[in-house]
Amino acid sequence: EPGDVVITDVGETVDEVGKPVAWLGNKRVAIHDHCYAFRHSLNPKFVSYCMQTTSFVAQKAKYVARTKVNTLLINGFAKLSIPIPYPNDNEKSLEEQARIVAILDKFETIIS
């Protein structure tokens, strides 16, 4: 669905497992059977950025089965948390998420 964050459930390394991609299109799409769709009411790019932070990756690593192909254990993944600005004020929270996304979208340009 538009706004979902698509998450891989397998990868060669722990860091690759659970890699997020925000679906910013306006149509429904099919995803691979080794992916999950995280459906939420947040800014999808904000969620995707949060899922790439060092702290989130460290949390996620606890729920990766390390076998020949590393696999995300979705029941454990469901226990992970994303820090939400202004959790009791949805409108203010979405505004702050958009502000953070705008900064992160320009980050490489800013540091160059």
Side-chain angles (χ1 to χ4, degrees):
E1 298 290 332
D4 285 354
V5 175
V6 179
I7 305 161
T8 60
D9 80 337
V10 296
E12 289 188 23
T13 67
V14 172
D15 287 344
E16 290 174 356
V17 176
K19 191 71 92 170
V21 176
W23 172 239
L24 303 177
N26 58 10
K27 295 182 180 179
R28 297 178 72 198
V29 294
I31 60 174
H32 192 272
D33 60 345
H34 284 288
C35 294
Y36 297 105
F38 176 62
R39 201 151 289 141
H40 52 84
S41 60
L42 304 168
N43 180 310
K45 288 179 82 175
F46 175 80
V47 172
S48 182
Y49 280 131
C50 285
M51 288 182 172
Q52 295 176 64
T53 63
T54 303
S55 61
F56 191 87
V57 171
Q59 287 183 70
K60 172 189 74 174
K62 298 174 192 174
Y63 301 106
V64 174
R66 291 163 175 84
T67 58
K68 185 175 182 181
V69 176
N70 294 297
T71 306
L72 181 63
L73 303 172
I74 198 63
N75 291 337
F77 191 80
K79 298 175 185 175
L80 303 180
S81 61
I82 295 172
I84 307 299
Y86 306 105
N88 298 321
D89 185 338
N90 191 48
E91 186 176 327
K92 194 171 187 179
S93 180
L94 288 172
E95 288 173 10
E96 183 66 5
Q97 291 170 43
R99 186 186 75 77
I100 292 167
V101 165
I103 292 167
L104 293 174
D105 281 350
K106 295 186 285 187
F107 187 72
E108 191 169 317
T109 303
I110 292 169
I111 61 172
S112 298

mmCIF file of all heavy atoms in Angstrom, residues 16-56:
data_model
loop_
_atom_site.group_PDB
_atom_site.id
_atom_site.type_symbol
_atom_site.label_atom_id
_atom_site.label_comp_id
_atom_site.label_asym_id
_atom_site.label_seq_id
_atom_site.Cartn_x
_atom_site.Cartn_y
_atom_site.Cartn_z
ATOM 1 N N GLU A 16 22.141 -6.234 6.403
ATOM 2 C CA GLU A 16 21.276 -6.268 5.217
ATOM 3 C C GLU A 16 19.869 -6.757 5.539
ATOM 4 O O GLU A 16 18.918 -6.407 4.850
ATOM 5 C CB GLU A 16 21.893 -7.170 4.146
ATOM 6 C CG GLU A 16 23.139 -6.595 3.515
ATOM 7 C CD GLU A 16 23.810 -7.575 2.574
ATOM 8 O OE1 GLU A 16 23.354 -8.734 2.467
ATOM 9 O OE2 GLU A 16 24.799 -7.184 1.937
ATOM 10 N N VAL A 17 19.732 -7.565 6.565
ATOM 11 C CA VAL A 17 18.424 -8.097 6.943
ATOM 12 C C VAL A 17 17.597 -6.951 7.544
ATOM 13 O O VAL A 17 18.084 -6.181 8.356
ATOM 14 C CB VAL A 17 18.567 -9.241 7.971
ATOM 15 C CG1 VAL A 17 17.214 -9.725 8.434
ATOM 16 C CG2 VAL A 17 19.377 -10.375 7.380
ATOM 17 N N GLY A 18 16.353 -6.857 7.120
ATOM 18 C CA GLY A 18 15.484 -5.804 7.653
ATOM 19 C C GLY A 18 15.741 -4.447 7.040
ATOM 20 O O GLY A 18 15.327 -3.423 7.575
ATOM 21 N N LYS A 19 16.399 -4.389 5.907
ATOM 22 C CA LYS A 19 16.672 -3.116 5.230
ATOM 23 C C LYS A 19 15.340 -2.506 4.796
ATOM 24 O O LYS A 19 14.545 -3.152 4.127
ATOM 25 C CB LYS A 19 17.561 -3.377 4.024
ATOM 26 C CG LYS A 19 18.133 -2.163 3.373
ATOM 27 C CD LYS A 19 19.175 -1.493 4.192
ATOM 28 C CE LYS A 19 20.550 -1.984 3.886
ATOM 29 N NZ LYS A 19 21.581 -1.184 4.515
ATOM 30 N N PRO A 20 15.082 -1.247 5.182
ATOM 31 C CA PRO A 20 13.786 -0.636 4.875
ATOM 32 C C PRO A 20 13.793 0.208 3.598
ATOM 33 O O PRO A 20 14.806 0.817 3.248
ATOM 34 C CB PRO A 20 13.565 0.277 6.077
ATOM 35 C CG PRO A 20 14.954 0.744 6.403
ATOM 36 C CD PRO A 20 15.850 -0.434 6.105
ATOM 37 N N VAL A 21 12.666 0.224 2.922
ATOM 38 C CA VAL A 21 12.445 1.101 1.772
ATOM 39 C C VAL A 21 11.022 1.652 1.882
ATOM 40 O O VAL A 21 10.069 0.882 1.992
ATOM 41 C CB VAL A 21 12.596 0.339 0.434
ATOM 42 C CG1 VAL A 21 12.257 1.242 -0.742
ATOM 43 C CG2 VAL A 21 13.984 -0.235 0.285
ATOM 44 N N ALA A 22 10.903 2.965 1.880
ATOM 45 C CA ALA A 22 9.577 3.590 1.947
ATOM 46 C C ALA A 22 8.938 3.558 0.565
ATOM 47 O O ALA A 22 9.550 3.978 -0.418
ATOM 48 C CB ALA A 22 9.707 5.031 2.435
ATOM 49 N N TRP A 23 7.711 3.048 0.476
ATOM 50 C CA TRP A 23 6.984 3.052 -0.793
ATOM 51 C C TRP A 23 6.254 4.386 -0.891
ATOM 52 O O TRP A 23 5.275 4.632 -0.186
ATOM 53 C CB TRP A 23 6.020 1.873 -0.903
ATOM 54 C CG TRP A 23 5.139 1.980 -2.113
ATOM 55 C CD1 TRP A 23 3.787 2.016 -2.126
ATOM 56 C CD2 TRP A 23 5.556 2.101 -3.478
ATOM 57 N NE1 TRP A 23 3.330 2.145 -3.418
ATOM 58 C CE2 TRP A 23 4.405 2.213 -4.272
ATOM 59 C CE3 TRP A 23 6.797 2.144 -4.104
ATOM 60 C CZ2 TRP A 23 4.442 2.349 -5.654
ATOM 61 C CZ3 TRP A 23 6.841 2.275 -5.485
ATOM 62 C CH2 TRP A 23 5.678 2.371 -6.242
ATOM 63 N N LEU A 24 6.745 5.257 -1.792
ATOM 64 C CA LEU A 24 6.202 6.605 -1.930
ATOM 65 C C LEU A 24 5.256 6.740 -3.109
ATOM 66 O O LEU A 24 4.724 7.820 -3.351
ATOM 67 C CB LEU A 24 7.352 7.620 -2.060
ATOM 68 C CG LEU A 24 8.347 7.602 -0.890
ATOM 69 C CD1 LEU A 24 9.479 8.575 -1.150
ATOM 70 C CD2 LEU A 24 7.655 7.887 0.425
ATOM 71 N N GLY A 25 5.026 5.649 -3.820
ATOM 72 C CA GLY A 25 4.102 5.684 -4.944
ATOM 73 C C GLY A 25 2.662 5.824 -4.473
ATOM 74 O O GLY A 25 2.374 5.797 -3.272
ATOM 75 N N ASN A 26 1.757 5.964 -5.421
ATOM 76 C CA ASN A 26 0.345 6.137 -5.047
ATOM 77 C C ASN A 26 -0.523 4.944 -5.454
ATOM 78 O O ASN A 26 -1.734 5.024 -5.384
ATOM 79 C CB ASN A 26 -0.208 7.441 -5.614
ATOM 80 C CG ASN A 26 -0.087 7.519 -7.119
ATOM 81 O OD1 ASN A 26 0.242 6.535 -7.780
ATOM 82 N ND2 ASN A 26 -0.326 8.687 -7.662
ATOM 83 N N LYS A 27 0.112 3.858 -5.869
ATOM 84 C CA LYS A 27 -0.628 2.650 -6.232
ATOM 85 C C LYS A 27 -0.148 1.486 -5.384
ATOM 86 O O LYS A 27 0.966 1.492 -4.855
ATOM 87 C CB LYS A 27 -0.405 2.310 -7.706
ATOM 88 C CG LYS A 27 -0.968 3.344 -8.647
ATOM 89 C CD LYS A 27 -0.758 2.935 -10.082
ATOM 90 C CE LYS A 27 -1.338 4.008 -10.992
ATOM 91 N NZ LYS A 27 -1.151 3.696 -12.392
ATOM 92 N N ARG A 28 -0.995 0.483 -5.258
ATOM 93 C CA ARG A 28 -0.604 -0.749 -4.570
ATOM 94 C C ARG A 28 0.418 -1.478 -5.429
ATOM 95 O O ARG A 28 0.356 -1.438 -6.656
ATOM 96 C CB ARG A 28 -1.823 -1.633 -4.363
ATOM 97 C CG ARG A 28 -2.868 -1.003 -3.462
ATOM 98 C CD ARG A 28 -4.072 -1.879 -3.320
ATOM 99 N NE ARG A 28 -3.677 -3.028 -2.481
ATOM 100 C CZ ARG A 28 -4.340 -4.163 -2.405
ATOM 101 N NH1 ARG A 28 -5.428 -4.341 -3.115
ATOM 102 N NH2 ARG A 28 -3.934 -5.138 -1.622
ATOM 103 N N VAL A 29 1.346 -2.159 -4.783
ATOM 104 C CA VAL A 29 2.353 -2.933 -5.502
ATOM 105 C C VAL A 29 2.506 -4.298 -4.842
ATOM 106 O O VAL A 29 2.141 -4.492 -3.691
ATOM 107 C CB VAL A 29 3.732 -2.216 -5.516
ATOM 108 C CG1 VAL A 29 3.667 -0.935 -6.318
ATOM 109 C CG2 VAL A 29 4.236 -1.961 -4.116
ATOM 110 N N ALA A 30 3.056 -5.220 -5.601
ATOM 111 C CA ALA A 30 3.375 -6.546 -5.059
ATOM 112 C C ALA A 30 4.801 -6.508 -4.520
ATOM 113 O O ALA A 30 5.649 -5.794 -5.047
ATOM 114 C CB ALA A 30 3.266 -7.591 -6.158
ATOM 115 N N ILE A 31 5.035 -7.250 -3.447
ATOM 116 C CA ILE A 31 6.385 -7.341 -2.917
ATOM 117 C C ILE A 31 6.821 -8.799 -2.900
ATOM 118 O O ILE A 31 5.991 -9.710 -2.928
ATOM 119 C CB ILE A 31 6.502 -6.725 -1.498
ATOM 120 C CG1 ILE A 31 5.584 -7.431 -0.492
ATOM 121 C CG2 ILE A 31 6.228 -5.234 -1.549
ATOM 122 C CD1 ILE A 31 5.761 -6.966 0.941
ATOM 123 N N HIS A 32 8.105 -9.013 -2.866
ATOM 124 C CA HIS A 32 8.689 -10.352 -2.868
ATOM 125 C C HIS A 32 8.282 -11.104 -1.599
ATOM 126 O O HIS A 32 8.017 -10.497 -0.566
ATOM 127 C CB HIS A 32 10.219 -10.228 -2.955
ATOM 128 C CG HIS A 32 10.902 -11.501 -3.250
ATOM 129 N ND1 HIS A 32 11.293 -12.373 -2.268
ATOM 130 C CD2 HIS A 32 11.272 -12.063 -4.428
ATOM 131 C CE1 HIS A 32 11.882 -13.427 -2.809
ATOM 132 N NE2 HIS A 32 11.886 -13.262 -4.121
ATOM 133 N N ASP A 33 8.260 -12.426 -1.684
ATOM 134 C CA ASP A 33 7.854 -13.208 -0.517
ATOM 135 C C ASP A 33 8.896 -13.200 0.607
ATOM 136 O O ASP A 33 8.627 -13.675 1.697
ATOM 137 C CB ASP A 33 7.490 -14.644 -0.910
ATOM 138 C CG ASP A 33 8.618 -15.411 -1.563
ATOM 139 O OD1 ASP A 33 9.614 -14.783 -1.978
ATOM 140 O OD2 ASP A 33 8.511 -16.635 -1.682
ATOM 141 N N HIS A 34 10.063 -12.628 0.370
ATOM 142 C CA HIS A 34 11.055 -12.456 1.430
ATOM 143 C C HIS A 34 11.082 -11.016 1.923
ATOM 144 O O HIS A 34 12.121 -10.481 2.297
ATOM 145 C CB HIS A 34 12.444 -12.901 0.973
ATOM 146 C CG HIS A 34 12.591 -14.387 0.949
ATOM 147 N ND1 HIS A 34 12.669 -15.137 2.105
ATOM 148 C CD2 HIS A 34 12.639 -15.268 -0.078
ATOM 149 C CE1 HIS A 34 12.773 -16.415 1.784
ATOM 150 N NE2 HIS A 34 12.749 -16.519 0.469
ATOM 151 N N CYS A 35 9.912 -10.398 1.915
ATOM 152 C CA CYS A 35 9.754 -9.026 2.396
ATOM 153 C C CYS A 35 8.504 -8.929 3.258
ATOM 154 O O CYS A 35 7.602 -9.747 3.154
ATOM 155 C CB CYS A 35 9.591 -8.053 1.228
ATOM 156 S SG CYS A 35 11.042 -7.890 0.195
ATOM 157 N N TYR A 36 8.498 -7.913 4.096
ATOM 158 C CA TYR A 36 7.321 -7.581 4.892
ATOM 159 C C TYR A 36 6.931 -6.157 4.575
ATOM 160 O O TYR A 36 7.778 -5.327 4.263
ATOM 161 C CB TYR A 36 7.609 -7.686 6.395
ATOM 162 C CG TYR A 36 7.961 -9.065 6.859
ATOM 163 C CD1 TYR A 36 9.272 -9.405 7.181
ATOM 164 C CD2 TYR A 36 6.970 -10.038 6.983
ATOM 165 C CE1 TYR A 36 9.581 -10.677 7.620
ATOM 166 C CE2 TYR A 36 7.280 -11.304 7.418
ATOM 167 C CZ TYR A 36 8.587 -11.619 7.735
ATOM 168 O OH TYR A 36 8.894 -12.881 8.164
ATOM 169 N N ALA A 37 5.636 -5.865 4.680
ATOM 170 C CA ALA A 37 5.153 -4.494 4.537
ATOM 171 C C ALA A 37 4.790 -3.988 5.928
ATOM 172 O O ALA A 37 3.929 -4.574 6.593
ATOM 173 C CB ALA A 37 3.944 -4.441 3.619
ATOM 174 N N PHE A 38 5.470 -2.948 6.371
ATOM 175 C CA PHE A 38 5.168 -2.332 7.661
ATOM 176 C C PHE A 38 4.171 -1.214 7.411
ATOM 177 O O PHE A 38 4.485 -0.218 6.777
ATOM 178 C CB PHE A 38 6.455 -1.799 8.305
ATOM 179 C CG PHE A 38 6.220 -1.070 9.602
ATOM 180 C CD1 PHE A 38 5.670 -1.716 10.696
ATOM 181 C CD2 PHE A 38 6.559 0.261 9.724
ATOM 182 C CE1 PHE A 38 5.463 -1.044 11.885
ATOM 183 C CE2 PHE A 38 6.356 0.945 10.906
ATOM 184 C CZ PHE A 38 5.808 0.292 11.984
ATOM 185 N N ARG A 39 2.945 -1.408 7.866
ATOM 186 C CA ARG A 39 1.860 -0.456 7.671
ATOM 187 C C ARG A 39 1.725 0.377 8.932
ATOM 188 O O ARG A 39 1.732 -0.154 10.037
ATOM 189 C CB ARG A 39 0.565 -1.216 7.386
ATOM 190 C CG ARG A 39 -0.467 -0.375 6.700
ATOM 191 C CD ARG A 39 -1.383 -1.203 5.810
ATOM 192 N NE ARG A 39 -0.636 -1.662 4.639
ATOM 193 C CZ ARG A 39 -0.778 -2.865 4.099
ATOM 194 N NH1 ARG A 39 -1.621 -3.724 4.593
ATOM 195 N NH2 ARG A 39 -0.072 -3.212 3.052
ATOM 196 N N HIS A 40 1.603 1.686 8.790
ATOM 197 C CA HIS A 40 1.663 2.603 9.936
ATOM 198 C C HIS A 40 0.975 3.912 9.577
ATOM 199 O O HIS A 40 0.512 4.094 8.442
ATOM 200 C CB HIS A 40 3.131 2.875 10.274
ATOM 201 C CG HIS A 40 3.894 3.320 9.058
ATOM 202 N ND1 HIS A 40 3.911 4.626 8.644
ATOM 203 C CD2 HIS A 40 4.579 2.618 8.135
ATOM 204 C CE1 HIS A 40 4.607 4.715 7.525
ATOM 205 N NE2 HIS A 40 5.013 3.497 7.191
ATOM 206 N N SER A 41 0.918 4.840 10.517
ATOM 207 C CA SER A 41 0.319 6.156 10.265
ATOM 208 C C SER A 41 1.366 7.265 10.374
ATOM 209 O O SER A 41 1.024 8.419 10.584
ATOM 210 C CB SER A 41 -0.813 6.411 11.262
ATOM 211 O OG SER A 41 -0.298 6.371 12.586
ATOM 212 N N LEU A 42 2.624 6.909 10.211
ATOM 213 C CA LEU A 42 3.732 7.856 10.313
ATOM 214 C C LEU A 42 4.193 8.281 8.930
ATOM 215 O O LEU A 42 3.730 7.767 7.915
ATOM 216 C CB LEU A 42 4.891 7.196 11.061
ATOM 217 C CG LEU A 42 4.557 6.641 12.450
ATOM 218 C CD1 LEU A 42 5.698 5.770 12.953
ATOM 219 C CD2 LEU A 42 4.276 7.771 13.407
ATOM 220 N N ASN A 43 5.146 9.209 8.892
ATOM 221 C CA ASN A 43 5.779 9.603 7.639
ATOM 222 C C ASN A 43 6.657 8.423 7.204
ATOM 223 O O ASN A 43 7.562 8.017 7.942
ATOM 224 C CB ASN A 43 6.616 10.862 7.884
ATOM 225 C CG ASN A 43 7.324 11.349 6.649
ATOM 226 O OD1 ASN A 43 7.992 10.585 5.967
ATOM 227 N ND2 ASN A 43 7.199 12.629 6.389
ATOM 228 N N PRO A 44 6.411 7.838 6.024
ATOM 229 C CA PRO A 44 7.142 6.630 5.632
ATOM 230 C C PRO A 44 8.652 6.838 5.524
ATOM 231 O O PRO A 44 9.434 5.960 5.876
ATOM 232 C CB PRO A 44 6.533 6.232 4.292
ATOM 233 C CG PRO A 44 5.691 7.367 3.859
ATOM 234 C CD PRO A 44 5.403 8.217 5.037
ATOM 235 N N LYS A 45 9.070 8.002 5.056
ATOM 236 C CA LYS A 45 10.505 8.249 4.965
ATOM 237 C C LYS A 45 11.114 8.384 6.359
ATOM 238 O O LYS A 45 12.239 7.952 6.596
ATOM 239 C CB LYS A 45 10.789 9.490 4.120
ATOM 240 C CG LYS A 45 10.529 9.255 2.639
ATOM 241 C CD LYS A 45 10.778 10.477 1.814
ATOM 242 C CE LYS A 45 12.233 10.635 1.505
ATOM 243 N NZ LYS A 45 12.491 11.773 0.592
ATOM 244 N N PHE A 46 10.378 8.963 7.306
ATOM 245 C CA PHE A 46 10.838 9.060 8.681
ATOM 246 C C PHE A 46 11.067 7.664 9.249
ATOM 247 O O PHE A 46 12.104 7.381 9.843
ATOM 248 C CB PHE A 46 9.822 9.836 9.528
ATOM 249 C CG PHE A 46 10.156 9.896 10.984
ATOM 250 C CD1 PHE A 46 11.085 10.801 11.461
ATOM 251 C CD2 PHE A 46 9.547 9.037 11.888
ATOM 252 C CE1 PHE A 46 11.413 10.847 12.804
ATOM 253 C CE2 PHE A 46 9.865 9.070 13.242
ATOM 254 C CZ PHE A 46 10.802 9.985 13.700
ATOM 255 N N VAL A 47 10.110 6.772 9.034
ATOM 256 C CA VAL A 47 10.227 5.394 9.511
ATOM 257 C C VAL A 47 11.451 4.724 8.882
ATOM 258 O O VAL A 47 12.246 4.076 9.566
ATOM 259 C CB VAL A 47 8.950 4.581 9.216
ATOM 260 C CG1 VAL A 47 9.140 3.104 9.533
ATOM 261 C CG2 VAL A 47 7.764 5.144 9.975
ATOM 262 N N SER A 48 11.610 4.903 7.580
ATOM 263 C CA SER A 48 12.740 4.290 6.885
ATOM 264 C C SER A 48 14.066 4.816 7.425
ATOM 265 O O SER A 48 15.004 4.038 7.663
ATOM 266 C CB SER A 48 12.630 4.568 5.382
ATOM 267 O OG SER A 48 13.695 3.952 4.690
ATOM 268 N N TYR A 49 14.162 6.119 7.637
ATOM 269 C CA TYR A 49 15.387 6.678 8.216
ATOM 270 C C TYR A 49 15.628 6.124 9.617
ATOM 271 O O TYR A 49 16.757 5.769 9.961
ATOM 272 C CB TYR A 49 15.322 8.206 8.278
ATOM 273 C CG TYR A 49 15.626 8.908 6.974
ATOM 274 C CD1 TYR A 49 14.794 9.908 6.488
ATOM 275 C CD2 TYR A 49 16.768 8.603 6.233
ATOM 276 C CE1 TYR A 49 15.082 10.568 5.299
ATOM 277 C CE2 TYR A 49 17.059 9.249 5.045
ATOM 278 C CZ TYR A 49 16.218 10.238 4.582
ATOM 279 O OH TYR A 49 16.504 10.895 3.405
ATOM 280 N N CYS A 50 14.592 6.047 10.445
ATOM 281 C CA CYS A 50 14.748 5.514 11.808
ATOM 282 C C CYS A 50 15.245 4.080 11.791
ATOM 283 O O CYS A 50 16.068 3.684 12.626
ATOM 284 C CB CYS A 50 13.424 5.592 12.565
ATOM 285 S SG CYS A 50 12.984 7.248 13.108
ATOM 286 N N MET A 51 14.753 3.296 10.838
ATOM 287 C CA MET A 51 15.144 1.892 10.766
ATOM 288 C C MET A 51 16.578 1.698 10.273
ATOM 289 O O MET A 51 17.080 0.575 10.264
ATOM 290 C CB MET A 51 14.179 1.121 9.875
ATOM 291 C CG MET A 51 12.831 0.902 10.495
ATOM 292 S SD MET A 51 11.789 -0.076 9.385
ATOM 293 C CE MET A 51 10.378 -0.384 10.438
ATOM 294 N N GLN A 52 17.230 2.779 9.857
ATOM 295 C CA GLN A 52 18.615 2.695 9.399
ATOM 296 C C GLN A 52 19.605 3.225 10.440
ATOM 297 O O GLN A 52 20.807 3.216 10.202
ATOM 298 C CB GLN A 52 18.774 3.462 8.088
ATOM 299 C CG GLN A 52 17.979 2.844 6.956
ATOM 300 C CD GLN A 52 18.074 3.654 5.689
ATOM 301 O OE1 GLN A 52 19.148 3.789 5.129
ATOM 302 N NE2 GLN A 52 16.953 4.214 5.250
ATOM 303 N N THR A 53 19.102 3.674 11.588
ATOM 304 C CA THR A 53 19.995 4.214 12.618
ATOM 305 C C THR A 53 20.775 3.097 13.296
ATOM 306 O O THR A 53 20.353 1.938 13.317
ATOM 307 C CB THR A 53 19.206 4.991 13.691
ATOM 308 O OG1 THR A 53 18.324 4.084 14.358
ATOM 309 C CG2 THR A 53 18.431 6.160 13.091
ATOM 310 N N THR A 54 21.910 3.465 13.863
ATOM 311 C CA THR A 54 22.756 2.507 14.566
ATOM 312 C C THR A 54 22.005 1.834 15.702
ATOM 313 O O THR A 54 22.107 0.615 15.891
ATOM 314 C CB THR A 54 24.012 3.224 15.110
ATOM 315 O OG1 THR A 54 24.688 3.844 14.012
ATOM 316 C CG2 THR A 54 24.951 2.255 15.786
ATOM 317 N N SER A 55 21.227 2.613 16.451
ATOM 318 C CA SER A 55 20.512 2.029 17.592
ATOM 319 C C SER A 55 19.437 1.049 17.136
ATOM 320 O O SER A 55 19.244 -0.005 17.752
ATOM 321 C CB SER A 55 19.909 3.119 18.478
ATOM 322 O OG SER A 55 18.980 3.891 17.759
ATOM 323 N N PHE A 56 18.733 1.361 16.058
ATOM 324 C CA PHE A 56 17.699 0.443 15.561
ATOM 325 C C PHE A 56 18.345 -0.831 15.020
ATOM 326 O O PHE A 56 17.856 -1.935 15.282
ATOM 327 C CB PHE A 56 16.837 1.112 14.486
ATOM 328 C CG PHE A 56 15.615 0.312 14.139
ATOM 329 C CD1 PHE A 56 14.443 0.462 14.856
ATOM 330 C CD2 PHE A 56 15.634 -0.618 13.111
ATOM 331 C CE1 PHE A 56 13.310 -0.287 14.562
ATOM 332 C CE2 PHE A 56 14.511 -1.371 12.806
ATOM 333 C CZ PHE A 56 13.346 -1.205 13.539
#
